[in-house]
Amino acid sequence: HKWFDYLLSSLPTLVWCSMLSILLLYMVEIYYLSQWRHMPLLRPTFLFVNAVAYLLYGTIAGLTLQLSAPTYIVFRRFAYYLLGIFQAALSAGLVSYGLILAWQLRRRRRSTSLPTASSPQLVVRITTLAIIIPVTEICRTLNDFEYSVGNDISYLRWLAQIAAAKL
């Protein structure tokens, strides 16, 4: 019963990681297009990495599905650790490509010799996405890492204690 609960609670995070990988793919494509470079294997590579992520998750779920033994603890540990790694990798990619893309578009917009189709609002939106989403994903990653070992969210308690001490 607990194994199924962990499966249902962690599957939306895996789907969310897939959606973030699509956002990362979009940023990477725009970045390479802004440099006038074509990357024909970029989409198949992202598709392959997503398929491997689902395959790893499914393998962990299948190997820990033993109704006679309490393997839900093993499933929780490995599944949330894997999701934490995916979120950390996506955060690193989003922040790096997002900020580089925003810098590239800002530089192109200021240059008079290069044609530009980017507006200042687009640069601000990309910069905002490149900062806010990775920060929230790092918080989720810390939560997943702590949940994988069975702890409560102690870093939030720690932050609350620091905030209370400062007041």
Side-chain angles (χ1 to χ4, degrees):
H1 181 261
K2 287 186 178 182
W3 178 91
F4 190 67
D5 289 342
Y6 289 137
L7 179 75
L8 287 180
S9 68
S10 61
L11 195 58
T13 303
L14 185 63
V15 173
W16 175 251
C17 286
S18 293
M19 290 190 307
L20 285 180
S21 72
I22 292 170
L23 178 63
L24 178 60
L25 172 65
Y26 179 69
M27 284 188 177
V28 172
E29 283 181 338
I30 293 174
Y31 170 73
Y32 283 118
L33 286 174
S34 72
Q35 293 186 337
W36 305 100
R37 292 173 51 190
H38 181 64
M39 302 295 288
L41 296 178
L42 194 60
R43 286 185 181 192
T45 302
F46 270 79
L47 181 64
F48 176 75
V49 169
N50 272 311
V52 167
Y54 279 97
L55 184 65
L56 282 172
Y57 182 83
T59 302
I60 291 170
L63 290 176
T64 57
L65 177 62
Q66 294 177 357
L67 300 178
S68 62
T71 58
Y72 56 86
I73 295 170
V74 175
F75 173 71
R76 181 190 68 201
R77 178 169 293 141
F78 285 118
Y80 280 99
Y81 187 73
L82 181 71
L83 291 172
I85 290 171
F86 290 156
Q87 289 172 340
L90 285 169
S91 296
L94 283 169
V95 76
S96 63
Y97 274 102
L99 293 177
I100 290 171
L101 175 63
W103 176 78
Q104 181 82 13
L105 292 175
R106 187 176 295 120
R107 186 177 63 96
R108 178 164 290 192
R109 201 179 89 246
R110 289 182 183 161
S111 174
T112 57
S113 63
L114 296 172
T116 182
S118 65
S119 66
Q121 293 85 11
L122 178 65
V123 174
V124 169
R125 288 178 185 162
I126 290 173
T127 305
T128 303
L129 277 175
I131 293 171
I132 290 177
I133 290 178
V135 167
T136 58
E137 285 307 301
I138 292 300
C139 291
R140 288 175 54 113
T141 299
L142 292 173
N143 188 19
D144 282 348
F145 282 151
E146 284 209 33
Y147 194 66
S148 72
V149 294
N151 293 341
D152 293 332
I153 307 172
S154 62
Y155 72 92
L156 289 178
R157 243 182 318 198
W158 179 69
L159 288 175
Q161 290 172 352
I162 290 174
K166 298 259 180 193
L167 295 176

